Amino acid sequence: MSSSGFGGLNKSPSGIVIGLVQLQNPVVETPAQLAAQTQRIVELVGKARRNNPATDLVVFPEYALHGLSMCTDDAIMCSLDGPEVAAFKAACVEHRIWGCFSIMERNPGGNPYNSGLIIDDKGEIQLFYRKLHPWVPVEPWEPGNIGVPVCTGPKGAVLSLIICHDGMFPEMAREAAYKGAEIIIRTAGYTAPIRHAWRITNQSNAFQNLAQTASVCLCGSDGTFDSMGEGMFCDFDGTIMVEGSHRPDEIITCEMRPDLVREARIHWGVENNIYQFGHRGYVAVKGGAMDCPYTFMQDMVRGAYRLPWESEVRVTDGTSCGFPAPERTYEG
C-alpha cells in the first residue's frame, strides 16, 4: 500500500497529499446564491490548508458551485474569465495550494458544458476539461469536445480529471492513463443508489491502468437529493487506501505516491494490463500483437457504432426527465 494511513501527516519526499472535500450539496438558483457558494468554496480552500498543512491539492466535487438543479439559466452560468474562477485562482494563491474545481460553463453555441479545472498555487489554470459523458437522460449538458487532458501537478505527478459518469466507462480511465496520468481524479454529484457502482469503478479504474484514483461526491441533502460524499482513494492494485464517510464538508486526505505508480508500470510483468493491452501475447510473438481486434473500436472510428439491440433501446433522449428532444446534431 502506498499510503501511511495517516493522511499525509508523515509525508514522504515523493508523496503528494490530496484533500477531497465532501461538500454539502448546495441550492443555487440565483446570481446571489452563486456568489455566496463561490465564497463558501473559497473558505473551504482555506480550511484545507489549515486542516493539513501538508496538503498539496484540494479537490471539490462536481456541482460544488451549482448544486444538482440541472438549471441552464444563463444568469448563473460561468466562464473561465468570470468572477467565480477568478475567486478560485485568488484562493489558491492566498493559501499556496493547488485546487480542482467544478463549473457549469456558458456555451454560446448550445447547452452549457459541465467543466472542471485544476488551478496551481500561482493561480494559473493547468488543466481544463469538459465532461465527455453527461449522465443521460438526467443531465442536459453539451457533450465535451476537448478530449481527456492531463497536466503535471505538485511533485511532478501527472494528473487527469474525469467527471462522475465518465468513470463508468473503462475507456475514460484508460485514455487518461494512456496519456500518462498517474493519479486520476474523479469528481461527482452521485446520490446513494450509485454507491456500489461508485466503489467498484474507482477500484477497477485504478487496477486496470496501474494508476491511483482520488474520487469524491457531493454530500448531504439539498431538500430533494441526498448525495453520498464517500471520498475514496484507491491504490494502483485496486485496494482502497482511505475512504470517507457521509459527513458534509469533511475533508479527507491521503498521501499518493506517483513514484510507485511509475515503478509498477515499468517493472510489473503479471497484470501490467495497460501495457499488455497493446502488446497481446508477447510471450508467443515478438513485441506482442499490436493490432486492433475490437469490432466496437473499429466501428466507432468509422462512425458506424451500432449495438445488436440498438433498435430496441427505448431511452434515447432526455424527454423522460423533462428535457425537450434535441434537434441539433453534434459538431465536435
Side-chain angles (χ1 to χ4, degrees):
M1 182 176 290
S2 301
S3 172
S4 66
F6 289 104
L9 294 178
N10 299 306
K11 185 176 178 180
S12 71
S14 300
I16 167 176
V17 176
I18 297 178
L20 301 177
V21 183
Q22 297 178 167
L23 185 76
Q24 168 65 47
N25 187 357
V27 175
V28 177
E29 299 172 336
T30 67
Q33 290 173 323
L34 180 68
Q37 186 62 14
T38 301
Q39 183 57 36
R40 178 64 183 142
I41 291 171
V42 165
E43 292 168 355
L44 285 168
V45 172
K47 177 186 175 183
R49 166 55 69 226
R50 296 188 301 274
N51 178 62
N52 185 341
T55 302
D56 296 292
L57 168 66
V58 57
V59 178
F60 290 86
E62 178 194 34
Y63 291 112
L65 189 55
H66 288 86
L68 290 174
S69 71
M70 306 301 162
C71 177
T72 59
D73 181 0
D74 188 70
I76 59 171
M77 295 298 102
C78 299
S79 60
L80 292 183
D81 59 358
E84 299 80 18
V85 174
F88 299 156
K89 289 179 176 180
C92 289
V93 172
E94 178 183 355
H95 298 289
R96 305 177 311 284
I97 196 170
W98 287 57
C100 178
F101 304 95
S102 166
I103 63 171
M104 300 303 135
E105 180 197 358
R106 185 174 290 107
N107 175 21
N111 287 22
Y113 293 104
N114 182 335
S115 302
L117 54 157
I118 295 177
I119 299 172
D120 68 19
D121 55 359
K122 303 294 191 299
E124 299 295 327
I125 296 175
Q126 294 297 333
L127 183 147
F128 173 62
Y129 170 65
R130 290 170 172 160
K131 188 176 184 179
L132 279 183
H133 293 277
W135 193 35
V136 292
V138 177
E139 294 182 328
W141 315 120
E142 192 83 0
N145 59 357
I146 54 175
V148 183
V150 300
C151 74
T152 301
K155 300 294 183 65
V158 183
L159 309 175
S160 68
L161 170 62
I162 62 177
I163 299 176
C164 201
H165 191 48
D166 285 338
M168 299 300 186
F169 299 89
E171 295 81 6
M172 286 292 301
R174 176 57 50 87
E175 175 75 359
Y178 185 74
K179 289 185 172 180
E182 297 155 347
I183 300 173
I184 300 172
I185 298 167
R186 183 184 184 189
T187 62
Y190 274 138
T191 53
I194 311 299
R195 178 171 289 122
H196 176 68
W198 171 252
R199 175 185 289 263
I200 62 173
T201 52
N202 291 335
Q203 292 181 271
S204 61
N205 286 339
F207 172 70
Q208 292 173 353
N209 298 292
L210 289 186
Q212 295 181 321
T213 58
S215 312
V216 66
C217 294
L218 285 174
C219 193
S221 176
D222 62 0
T224 300
F225 299 107
D226 292 295
S227 294
M228 61 191 189
E230 297 195 12
M232 182 181 300
F233 294 93
C234 296
D235 210 350
F236 54 82
D237 64 355
T239 58
I240 297 174
M241 295 188 290
V242 178
E243 192 170 11
S245 65
H246 315 292
R247 186 156 62 88
D249 290 348
E250 180 181 10
I251 302 175
I252 67 166
T253 60
C254 180
E255 179 186 359
M256 311 297 273
R257 291 289 302 275
D259 58 316
L260 298 182
V261 170
R262 294 173 205 135
E263 181 180 285
R265 288 176 172 179
I266 293 170
H267 294 288
W268 276 27
V270 174
E271 302 299 345
N272 190 346
N273 296 315
I274 188 167
Y275 174 81
Q276 293 168 7
F277 184 75
H279 302 271
R280 298 185 300 116
Y282 62 63
V283 174
V285 293
K286 185 177 181 179
M290 299 179 66
D291 58 349
C292 181
Y294 307 102
T295 305
F296 81 94
M297 290 185 178
Q298 296 170 359
D299 286 352
M300 183 170 281
V301 169
R302 292 191 298 112
Y305 183 93
R306 186 174 177 83
L307 301 167
W309 59 90
E310 186 112 357
S311 62
E312 300 176 45
V313 174
R314 292 292 173 259
V315 181
T316 60
D317 58 33
T319 53
S320 63
C321 293
F323 301 111
E327 297 180 0
R328 293 181 299 114
T329 55
Y330 181 67
E331 297 179 359

